[in-house]
Amino acid sequence: MAKLHFLLDGNSLGEFALDKERMTIGRRPSNQIHIDNLAVSGVHAVIVTIGNDSFLEDLNSTNGTLVNGKAIKKYVLQHEDMIEFGKYQLKYINENHVASSGDGFEKTMMILPQQAPKAAIMPVVENKQQAELSANAAVEANEQASDDASEAPEETNATLATENIGRLKVLNGASEGRELLLNKTMTTLGKPGSQVAVINKRPNGYFITHVGGNNHPVVNGEIIGAQAHALNNQDVIELAGTKMEFHLA
C-alpha cells in the first residue's frame, strides 16, 4: 500500500496510508490528511488512488501545490516524490511501484477532442515523462498499475472472461465513430481544466472514477459520485463534452 511520510523541515511527524480511493489534504479537520498551518488552504488538494497509481490535484489553493519544487495542477505521483506545503512536506512512498517495475502492466492515456477540430491540447497530467498530445492522439505509456478490487461495489457487472475486453465508441464530435479498446489496466480520459476520469479494468469488471475538474462524469444521464462507478454493457458516458458508449466485446 502506498503511503505519505509527513515531514516538517525534513523531520518526521508521522505517516498517512493511502488506503482510501479519495483523500483530501487541507487545514480543515474534516480532511483525511489534516495540516494545521495558515499556508495551507481549507481544502488544499486531493489524492485519488486507483490500483497502484495515485493522482494528485491542487484544488485551486491560495498558495498552490509543489511537487519536487515545481508547481503542479494535476500530477501522477512517483515513488519518493516530495509534495510541499510551505515548511511541511508529504513524501510519497510506493515500494510496490518500484518492485513491480517491468511487470508488464500498461495504461493508456486518451485526450478527448476539443470542440474546435484538431485543436492542440496539453496532457491530462504533468509527469516526469511528459509527452505532447494532439486532439485525436492516444499515447501508451509503460507505467505500472495493479488491479485493486478490494473496495469494489457489491453490485457490479459480471466477472470478465478473458475474451471480454471493453471498448469505448465515440458518439459525437469530430471523432464520432472512433473506438478505443480498453485492454490496459487503466485508461485516462478528459481535457485539462474541464474533466478528467480514469477507467480501471479490474477482475470483476470495468469502473470509471472522477480524478480531476469541478464537474463529475455522467453515466446514463446521472452524475457519478467521488467513488468508482461500475460500468455495464451499453452504458453511455458523457465527459468533457464528448459522449461515448461502453461495450464489452
Side-chain angles (χ1 to χ4, degrees):
M1 181 185 300
K3 58 187 175 182
L4 297 171
H5 286 306
F6 188 30
L7 308 170
L8 174 60
D9 292 332
N11 298 311
S12 178
L13 298 178
E15 65 180 44
F16 298 96
L18 294 177
D19 55 359
K20 296 181 176 62
E21 195 166 78
R22 184 179 179 89
M23 298 180 69
T24 57
I25 305 168
R27 194 174 69 250
R28 295 176 186 169
S30 57
N31 290 283
Q32 287 82 20
I33 301 174
H34 177 219
I35 303 177
D36 188 11
N37 186 273
L38 292 177
V40 180
S41 296
V43 182
H44 194 107
V46 63
I47 294 178
V48 175
T49 299
I50 302 174
N52 203 38
D53 283 328
S54 293
F55 299 79
L56 171 67
E57 180 184 4
D58 180 83
L59 298 177
N60 298 316
S61 64
T62 300
N63 295 315
T65 301
L66 300 180
V67 176
N68 303 326
K70 180 183 177 181
I72 63 94
K73 180 61 180 175
K74 300 180 181 72
Y75 186 86
V76 178
L77 289 167
Q78 305 293 314
H79 180 59
E80 295 190 341
D81 274 343
M82 190 72 76
I83 311 168
E84 303 171 48
F85 305 93
K87 294 183 178 180
Y88 291 89
Q89 302 92 34
L90 291 169
K91 187 175 183 180
Y92 178 73
I93 300 296
N94 189 347
E95 295 176 354
N96 289 333
H97 196 269
V98 174
S100 63
S101 180
D103 63 3
F105 287 105
E106 296 177 325
K107 66 182 178 182
T108 296
M109 183 183 296
M110 176 184 177
I111 306 301
L112 299 178
Q114 301 277 13
Q115 295 303 314
K118 298 184 180 179
I121 58 177
M122 294 301 291
V124 169
V125 294
E126 299 174 56
N127 197 297
K128 294 177 181 176
Q129 299 176 341
Q130 285 186 336
E132 292 185 354
L133 303 178
S134 63
N136 296 320
V139 171
E140 293 188 1
N142 289 326
E143 299 181 37
Q144 309 78 17
S146 62
D147 293 324
D148 178 9
S150 60
E151 295 182 6
E154 291 183 3
E155 295 183 5
T156 66
N157 48 295
T159 300
L160 291 176
T162 55
E163 67 274 12
N164 284 347
I165 301 299
R167 56 189 170 88
L168 291 177
K169 183 177 181 180
V170 180
L171 301 179
N172 66 338
S175 296
E176 183 176 355
R178 178 185 177 188
E179 292 192 356
L180 174 66
L181 193 64
L182 302 173
N183 60 342
K184 310 301 181 185
T185 304
M186 300 180 70
T187 302
T188 305
L189 306 168
K191 291 191 298 187
S194 178
Q195 286 177 299
V196 183
V198 167
I199 293 181
N200 184 212
K201 178 177 177 289
R202 300 178 180 178
N204 60 334
Y206 285 86
F207 297 80
I208 184 170
T209 306
H210 171 78
V211 297
N214 294 326
N215 299 317
H216 288 222
V218 173
V219 177
N220 299 330
E222 296 186 3
I223 299 172
I224 69 170
Q227 302 303 315
H229 179 89
L231 290 174
N232 294 289
N233 192 37
Q234 296 187 324
D235 278 351
V236 175
I237 302 166
E238 297 178 51
L239 179 70
T242 299
K243 288 186 177 182
M244 297 163 285
E245 190 171 53
F246 172 76
H247 293 275
L248 281 177

